[in-house]
Each structure stands twice: as structure tokens, then as C-alpha cells.
Amino acid sequence: MDVWNDRGSVLRHCLKCGAAALRLVAGKQLYCDSCGFEFYLNPAAAVAALIPDSQGRLLIVERAQEPRKGTWDLPGGFVDPGESAEEALRREVREETGLEITHLRYLCSFPNSYEYMGVLYATMDLGFICGVEDASVARAAEAEVVRLLFLSPEAIDPARFGFPSVARIVERYRMDEVR
């Protein structure tokens, strides 16, 4: 996680004592020189769904909001506190596409970074291959999604994805499907 920007630290004050005494230690820990409080910058978990339709095409979403508005993505999002990755995946797919996942299988994970309000968050993006009853009934059901596309894996241009980790998840899926 990068808590620094071109003007210095985005986070300047201790979350415990309020002193302007935070410093970054080893690139992953904020330490307060005033009270000794330590805050670790661990990655946030995010999930991505690879949903093939009956013809083997993958469901791709076009992002409606920043970051990376207008780029491609897979249905998914951040895991909420107290939620498993599988629960988050089911919730995010339902919210973004209206689909209910019937079964899923973990595929792979890749690190990523996600900038929001001037802070660059480290994430760990978990890719799952998901089955649904009927992918053809999918609809862009949330303000985060402009439109849905169904593309054959070989027709997918990885450069269209807004996040390198998602492009890598799709690449891994394509490699595994060829075997």
C-alpha cells in the first residue's frame, strides 16, 4: 500500500493518539513516534467471477465509475468484514448482474493496487470460476456496471481490463481451458 503521494503522506495523524507523528516502516507498517501505535497495511481481499455461458463465452462487465471508468472488469468487488470470499462473490455477482451462483471453484489470485480518494490500496484479487443457472438472463443491475458483454475467451483483449490483476486472472483461465 502506498500511503504517500507527491505532497508526502496521505495519512499524517496517528489513529490512536492523533499526533502528527506517523512514519512508514518497511513499506507495510505505519508507526507513531509519539505513542508507539502500529498499524499494518495488509492487502484488502477482493473477488472476481469468471462466468461462462452455455456457449463458453465469458461474462465481462464495463465499469461505470472510477477508478478506471469505461474499462472492462469481471463481476466482483471487495470482501466485507465478517464475510467469506465465497459469500462476497455471491453478493457482488448478484448486485452487479442479478445472477445467482450455483457453484464455484477457486482458480488463482494476483496482487493489485486500487486508488481511491488519493490513497493507493493494496489488494489481493481472488479469481473463481462460477456456474449459474442461465447466464443469458444477466443484466447490469447496479450503478457500477454500464453494460455486460459475453465474449469467447480467445476474443478477449487483456489490454481492455482496467486492472492488471483481472487481466491476469482471465489469462490464467484461458491457459487452463486450453489444457
Side-chain angles (χ1 to χ4, degrees):
M1 174 188 273
D2 184 4
V3 295
W4 311 104
N5 63 23
D6 58 354
R7 297 177 314 278
S9 175
V10 173
L11 302 174
R12 292 182 177 90
H13 294 85
C14 177
L15 302 170
K16 184 176 180 185
C17 74
L22 285 182
R23 65 182 164 93
L24 188 64
V25 179
K28 66 178 184 175
Q29 174 194 10
L30 291 174
Y31 180 81
C32 177
D33 287 323
S34 180
C35 72
F37 179 72
E38 297 175 0
F39 185 81
Y40 290 88
L41 305 170
N42 297 317
V47 292
L50 295 147
I51 303 174
D53 69 3
S54 61
Q55 299 171 37
R57 300 174 303 174
L58 281 179
L59 176 58
I60 306 297
V61 300
E62 184 178 327
R63 295 181 61 83
Q65 298 178 3
E66 296 297 344
R68 318 274 169 74
K69 180 180 178 177
T71 63
W72 287 357
D73 207 347
L74 293 173
F78 287 103
V79 178
D80 288 342
E83 195 174 44
S84 71
E86 295 83 358
E87 290 167 337
L89 190 68
R90 291 179 195 289
R91 175 183 52 76
E92 289 285 350
V93 167
R94 185 181 317 109
E95 289 173 359
E96 293 181 5
T97 69
L99 296 173
E100 294 293 334
I101 295 174
T102 57
H103 59 280
L104 55 89
R105 177 175 59 87
Y106 172 77
L107 176 65
C108 62
S109 66
F110 291 102
N112 189 34
S113 37
Y114 187 92
E115 186 172 355
Y116 183 72
M117 297 190 79
V119 177
L120 191 60
Y121 293 90
T123 68
M124 180 55 64
D125 295 350
L126 309 166
F128 292 85
I129 300 171
C130 303
V132 298
E133 286 282 327
D134 182 3
S136 71
V137 300
R139 65 194 189 294
E142 192 176 279
E144 292 181 23
V145 177
V146 170
R147 67 182 172 135
L148 306 176
L149 305 163
F150 282 97
L151 300 171
S152 63
E154 60 275 359
I156 294 172
D157 178 4
R160 300 280 311 265
F161 287 97
F163 300 100
S165 58
V166 175
R168 292 178 70 190
I169 289 169
V170 171
E171 285 295 316
R172 175 67 61 84
Y173 175 81
R174 292 195 317 191
M175 287 183 346
D176 286 2
E177 290 301 302
V178 170
R179 291 183 196 156

